[in-house]
Coordinates of all heavy atoms in Angstrom, one line a residue:
A1 N 103.5 83.1 110.3 CA 102.1 83.2 110.3 C 101.5 84.2 109.3 O 100.4 84.0 108.8 CB 101.6 83.6 111.7
V2 N 102.3 85.2 109.0 CA 101.8 86.2 108.0 C 102.4 86.0 106.6 O 102.1 86.8 105.7 CB 102.1 87.7 108.5 CG1 101.3 87.9 109.8 CG2 103.5 88.0 108.7
L3 N 103.1 85.0 106.4 CA 103.7 84.7 105.1 C 102.6 84.5 104.0 O 102.6 85.2 103.0 CB 104.6 83.5 105.1 CG 105.2 83.1 103.8 CD1 106.1 84.2 103.2 CD2 106.0 81.8 103.9
L4 N 101.7 83.6 104.3 CA 100.6 83.3 103.3 C 99.7 84.5 103.1 O 99.3 84.8 102.0 CB 99.9 82.0 103.6 CG 100.7 80.7 103.4 CD1 99.9 79.5 103.9 CD2 101.1 80.6 102.0
P5 N 99.2 85.1 104.2 CA 98.4 86.3 104.0 C 99.1 87.4 103.1 O 98.5 88.0 102.3 CB 98.1 86.8 105.4 CG 98.2 85.6 106.2 CD 99.3 84.8 105.6
G6 N 100.4 87.6 103.4 CA 101.2 88.6 102.6 C 101.3 88.2 101.2 O 101.1 89.1 100.3
L7 N 101.5 86.9 100.9 CA 101.6 86.5 99.5 C 100.2 86.7 98.8 O 100.1 87.1 97.7 CB 102.1 85.0 99.4 CG 103.5 84.8 99.7 CD1 103.8 83.3 99.7 CD2 104.4 85.5 98.7
G8 N 99.2 86.3 99.5 CA 97.8 86.4 98.9 C 97.5 87.9 98.7 O 96.9 88.2 97.7
L9 N 97.8 88.7 99.6 CA 97.5 90.1 99.4 C 98.3 90.7 98.3 O 97.8 91.5 97.5 CB 97.9 90.9 100.7 CG 97.6 92.4 100.8 CD1 96.1 92.6 100.6 CD2 98.0 93.0 102.1
T10 N 99.6 90.4 98.1 CA 100.4 90.9 97.0 C 99.8 90.3 95.7 O 99.7 91.1 94.7 CB 101.8 90.4 97.2 OG1 102.3 90.9 98.4 CG2 102.7 91.0 96.0
W11 N 99.4 89.1 95.7 CA 98.7 88.5 94.5 C 97.5 89.3 94.1 O 97.3 89.6 93.0 CB 98.4 87.0 94.9 CG 98.0 86.2 93.7 CD1 96.8 86.1 93.1 CD2 98.8 85.2 93.1 NE1 96.8 85.1 92.1 CE2 98.0 84.6 92.1 CE3 100.1 84.8 93.3 CZ2 98.5 83.6 91.3 CZ3 100.6 83.8 92.4 CH2 99.8 83.2 91.5
R12 N 96.6 89.6 95.1 CA 95.4 90.4 94.8 C 95.8 91.8 94.4 O 95.1 92.4 93.6 CB 94.5 90.4 96.0 CG 93.9 89.0 96.3 CD 92.8 89.0 97.3 NE 93.0 89.9 98.5 CZ 93.6 89.5 99.6 NH1 94.0 88.3 99.8 NH2 93.6 90.4 100.6
R13 N 96.8 92.4 95.0 CA 97.3 93.7 94.6 C 97.7 93.8 93.1 O 97.4 94.7 92.4 CB 98.4 94.2 95.5 CG 98.9 95.5 95.2 CD 98.0 96.6 95.6 NE 98.4 97.9 95.0 CZ 97.7 98.6 94.1 NH1 96.5 98.1 93.7 NH2 98.2 99.7 93.6
L14 N 98.4 92.7 92.7 CA 98.7 92.7 91.3 C 97.5 92.5 90.4 O 97.4 93.1 89.3 CB 99.7 91.5 91.0 CG 101.1 91.7 91.6 CD1 101.9 90.4 91.6 CD2 101.8 92.8 91.0
H15 N 96.5 91.8 90.9 CA 95.2 91.7 90.1 C 94.6 93.1 90.0 O 94.0 93.4 89.0 CB 94.2 90.8 90.9 CG 94.5 89.3 90.7 ND1 93.7 88.4 91.3 CD2 95.4 88.7 89.9 CE1 94.2 87.2 91.0 NE2 95.2 87.4 90.1
D16 N 94.7 93.9 91.1 CA 94.1 95.2 91.1 C 94.7 96.2 90.0 O 94.0 97.1 89.5 CB 94.3 95.9 92.4 CG 93.5 97.1 92.6 OD1 92.3 97.1 92.3 OD2 94.0 98.1 93.2
I17 N 95.9 95.9 89.6 CA 96.4 96.8 88.5 C 96.4 96.1 87.1 O 96.9 96.6 86.2 CB 97.9 97.2 88.8 CG1 98.8 96.0 88.9 CG2 98.0 98.1 90.0 CD1 100.3 96.3 88.9
G18 N 95.6 94.9 87.1 CA 95.4 94.3 85.8 C 96.5 93.3 85.5 O 96.6 92.8 84.4
K19 N 97.4 93.0 86.4 CA 98.5 92.0 86.1 C 98.1 90.6 86.7 O 97.3 90.5 87.7 CB 99.8 92.4 86.8 CG 100.3 93.8 86.3 CD 100.9 93.7 85.0 CE 101.5 95.0 84.5 NZ 101.8 95.1 83.1
S20 N 98.7 89.6 86.2 CA 98.5 88.3 86.7 C 99.2 88.2 88.0 O 100.3 88.8 88.2 CB 99.1 87.2 85.8 OG 99.1 86.0 86.4
G21 N 98.6 87.4 89.0 CA 99.3 87.2 90.2 C 100.6 86.5 90.1 O 101.5 86.7 91.0
L22 N 100.8 85.8 89.0 CA 102.1 85.2 88.8 C 103.3 86.1 88.7 O 104.4 85.8 88.8 CB 102.1 84.2 87.6 CG 101.2 83.0 87.8 CD1 101.1 82.2 86.5 CD2 101.8 82.1 88.9
C23 N 103.0 87.4 88.4 CA 104.0 88.4 88.4 C 104.8 88.6 89.7 O 105.9 89.1 89.7 CB 103.4 89.8 88.0 SG 102.9 89.9 86.3
I24 N 104.2 88.0 90.7 CA 104.9 88.0 92.0 C 106.2 87.2 91.9 O 107.2 87.5 92.7 CB 104.0 87.4 93.1 CG1 104.5 87.8 94.5 CG2 103.9 85.9 93.1 CD1 103.6 87.5 95.6
L25 N 106.3 86.3 91.0 CA 107.5 85.5 90.8 C 108.7 86.4 90.3 O 109.8 86.0 90.4 CB 107.3 84.3 89.9 CG 106.3 83.3 90.4 CD1 106.0 82.2 89.4 CD2 106.7 82.7 91.7
L26 N 108.4 87.5 89.8 CA 109.4 88.5 89.4 C 110.3 88.8 90.5 O 111.5 89.1 90.4 CB 108.9 89.7 88.7 CG 108.2 89.5 87.3 CD1 107.5 90.8 86.9 CD2 109.2 89.1 86.3
G27 N 109.7 88.8 91.7 CA 110.4 89.1 92.9 C 111.6 88.2 93.2 O 112.4 88.4 94.1
L28 N 111.6 87.0 92.6 CA 112.7 86.1 92.8 C 114.0 86.5 92.0 O 115.0 86.0 92.3 CB 112.2 84.7 92.3 CG 111.1 84.0 93.0 CD1 110.7 82.7 92.4 CD2 111.5 83.8 94.5
I29 N 113.8 87.4 91.1 CA 115.0 88.0 90.4 C 115.6 89.0 91.4 O 115.0 90.0 91.7 CB 114.6 88.6 89.1 CG1 113.9 87.7 88.2 CG2 115.8 89.2 88.4 CD1 113.2 88.3 87.0
P30 N 116.9 88.8 91.7 CA 117.5 89.7 92.7 C 117.5 91.2 92.1 O 117.7 91.4 90.9 CB 119.0 89.2 92.8 CG 118.9 87.8 92.4 CD 117.8 87.7 91.4
V31 N 117.3 92.1 93.0 CA 117.3 93.5 92.8 C 116.3 94.0 91.7 O 115.4 94.7 92.0 CB 118.7 94.1 92.5 CG1 118.7 95.6 92.5 CG2 119.7 93.6 93.6
V32 N 116.5 93.6 90.5 CA 115.7 94.1 89.4 C 114.2 93.6 89.6 O 113.3 94.4 89.4 CB 116.2 93.6 88.0 CG1 115.3 94.0 86.9 CG2 117.6 94.2 87.7
G33 N 114.1 92.4 89.9 CA 112.7 91.8 90.2 C 112.0 92.5 91.3 O 110.8 92.8 91.3
W34 N 112.8 92.8 92.4 CA 112.2 93.5 93.5 C 111.7 94.8 93.2 O 110.6 95.3 93.6 CB 113.2 93.6 94.7 CG 113.9 92.3 95.1 CD1 113.3 91.0 95.0 CD2 115.1 92.1 95.7 NE1 114.2 90.1 95.5 CE2 115.3 90.7 96.0 CE3 116.1 93.0 96.1 CZ2 116.4 90.2 96.6 CZ3 117.2 92.5 96.7 CH2 117.4 91.1 96.9
I35 N 112.5 95.5 92.3 CA 112.1 96.9 91.9 C 110.9 96.8 91.1 O 109.9 97.7 91.2 CB 113.3 97.6 91.2 CG1 114.4 97.8 92.2 CG2 112.8 98.9 90.5 CD1 115.7 98.3 91.5
I36 N 110.8 95.9 90.2 CA 109.6 95.7 89.3 C 108.4 95.5 90.1 O 107.3 96.1 89.9 CB 109.8 94.6 88.3 CG1 110.9 95.0 87.3 CG2 108.5 94.3 87.5 CD1 111.3 93.9 86.4
V37 N 108.4 94.5 91.1 CA 107.3 94.3 91.9 C 106.9 95.5 92.8 O 105.7 95.8 92.9 CB 107.5 93.0 92.8 CG1 106.4 92.8 93.8 CG2 107.7 91.8 92.0
L38 N 107.9 96.2 93.3 CA 107.6 97.4 94.0 C 106.9 98.5 93.2 O 105.9 99.1 93.6 CB 108.9 98.0 94.6 CG 108.8 99.3 95.4 CD1 108.0 99.1 96.6 CD2 110.2 99.9 95.7
V39 N 107.3 98.6 92.0 CA 106.7 99.6 91.1 C 105.2 99.1 90.8 O 104.3 99.9 90.8 CB 107.4 99.7 89.7 CG1 106.6 100.4 88.7 CG2 108.7 100.4 89.9
Y40 N 105.0 97.8 90.7 CA 103.7 97.3 90.5 C 102.7 97.6 91.7 O 101.6 98.0 91.5 CB 103.7 95.8 90.2 CG 104.1 95.4 88.8 CD1 104.4 94.1 88.5 CD2 104.1 96.4 87.7 CE1 104.8 93.7 87.2 CE2 104.5 96.0 86.5 CZ 104.8 94.7 86.2 OH 105.2 94.3 84.9
V41 N 103.2 97.4 92.9 CA 102.4 97.5 94.0 C 102.1 99.0 94.4 O 101.2 99.4 95.0 CB 102.8 96.8 95.3 CG1 102.9 95.3 95.0 CG2 104.2 97.3 95.8
I42 N 103.0 99.9 93.8 CA 102.8 101.3 94.0 C 101.8 101.9 93.0 O 101.1 102.9 93.4 CB 104.2 102.1 93.9 CG1 105.1 101.7 95.1 CG2 104.0 103.6 93.8 CD1 106.5 102.3 95.0
K43 N 101.7 101.3 91.9 CA 100.8 101.8 90.8 C 99.4 102.0 91.3 O 98.9 101.2 92.2 CB 100.8 100.9 89.6 CG 102.0 100.9 88.8 CD 102.0 100.0 87.7 CE 101.0 100.4 86.6 NZ 101.0 99.7 85.4
P44 N 98.6 103.0 90.9 CA 97.2 103.1 91.3 C 96.4 102.0 90.7 O 96.7 101.4 89.7 CB 96.8 104.5 90.7 CG 97.9 104.8 89.7 CD 99.1 104.1 90.0
S45 N 95.3 101.8 91.4 CA 94.3 100.8 90.9 C 93.7 101.1 89.6 O 93.6 102.3 89.3 CB 93.2 100.6 92.0 OG 93.7 100.3 93.2
E46 N 93.3 100.1 88.9 CA 92.5 100.3 87.7 C 91.1 100.9 88.2 O 90.5 100.3 89.1 CB 92.3 99.1 86.9 CG 93.5 98.6 86.1 CD 93.3 97.5 85.2 OE1 92.2 96.8 85.3 OE2 94.1 97.2 84.3
P47 N 90.6 102.0 87.6 CA 89.4 102.6 88.1 C 88.1 101.9 87.8 O 87.1 102.3 88.3 CB 89.5 104.0 87.5 CG 90.3 103.8 86.2 CD 91.3 102.7 86.5

């Protein structure tokens, strides 16, 4: 039930830092991709 809202929210979070939502696909790369996406969602918003 929360899969699509979670994907949409992560997509919008990537937009917030100026990245394309397609960067979420980096998470498909084992370990390295997960770390990259984690760094992206931790970054502060563009002001």
Side-chain angles (χ1 to χ4, degrees):
V2 297
L3 176 66
L4 288 177
L7 288 174
L9 182 61
T10 304
W11 193 278
R12 292 192 320 271
R13 179 72 192 115
L14 291 170
H15 283 177
D16 191 44
I17 62 167
K19 301 286 185 194
S20 168
L22 289 173
C23 288
I24 198 172
L25 296 176
L26 290 171
L28 296 175
I29 302 170
V31 185
V32 174
W34 305 336
I35 293 170
I36 293 170
V37 173
L38 178 65
V39 168
Y40 283 166
V41 298
I42 290 173
K43 287 178 72 170
S45 302
E46 286 188 343

